[in-house]
Structures are given as structure tokens and as C-alpha cells.
Amino acid sequence: QANLDDISLGSWETPVVTQSLPYHIEFGTSTTLTIHGDNFINSPEVHIGNVPVNSRWVDEHTLEATLPANLPAAIYDIWVKNPGESEGVLGGGLAIGKQVYLPLIAR
């Protein structure tokens, strides 16, 4: 019997983003985001949505990204691209501001 996980199905150079802390930040706040996962190679590029942010490699499982205070309120995907063009994403990995959901009224 063989057990497979997300990492064994891809190349060891492909980053796997699993979590960001904090998940929710207030609008207009500059903060440091800690990104957890696997296969992070030194000097990766980090994008919050389409916005590149300054990042620091801590180890193969941890990155730190500095978020600017001017990011609009939204739910963002977190993209990590290792040197060599391999990239991974955590869909909906960061929420900025408060989200409001209006009720649906249909006839």
C-alpha cells in the first residue's frame, strides 16, 4: 500500500501553501504575514492577489511577507513562486477588512 499526499504528487520544487497567520487583518493596517507550507526555496516571490510584496525566507516551511497598508478590503489568494518558476497558491488565504454579505431576495 502506498500513501500519497499533495507534496508527493508534484515536484519538490513546487511550493505548497497551507496557511497564513493572521488570516484576517483590519483595513489600513501594515503587518507581517507568516506563510506556512512546504517546499519554499530561498528567495521566493510572494504575491497577495496580483500585488507583489516584500518577503523573507525563514525556512523551507515558513515565509514572512510585509503587507502594505494600502491593500483594498477583500479576500485574497496568496501566491508563492520559487526560483525556477514553480508556483503554488492558497486560495482565499487572506482577508482584509470586514466582508458584508447582503441577503438574497428573489421572486
Side-chain angles (χ1 to χ4, degrees):
Q1 175 181 2
N3 294 322
L4 299 176
D5 58 20
D6 292 335
I7 297 169
S8 63
L9 293 176
S11 166
W12 68 272
E13 296 176 341
T14 302
V16 178
V17 186
T18 57
Q19 182 182 33
S20 68
L21 294 173
Y23 165 75
H24 180 264
I25 63 171
E26 294 299 319
F27 174 72
T29 304
S30 178
T31 190
T32 299
L33 184 69
T34 303
I35 302 168
H36 296 285
D38 294 299
N39 299 336
F40 298 148
I41 298 175
N42 201 358
S43 304
E45 292 178 32
V46 176
H47 290 231
I48 303 301
N50 295 328
V51 179
V53 295
N54 292 329
S55 63
R56 184 177 78 83
W57 182 82
V58 176
D59 60 36
E60 65 188 37
H61 303 289
T62 310
L63 302 172
E64 290 180 346
T66 304
L67 302 180
N70 64 349
L71 284 173
I75 296 177
Y76 290 93
D77 296 339
I78 299 173
W79 292 86
V80 175
K81 185 191 297 187
N82 280 336
E85 304 302 315
S86 296
E87 61 184 14
V89 64
L90 176 60
L94 175 66
I96 297 178
K98 297 185 191 251
Q99 283 68 48
V100 177
Y101 299 98
L102 299 175
L104 174 64
I105 299 173
R107 289 186 174 186

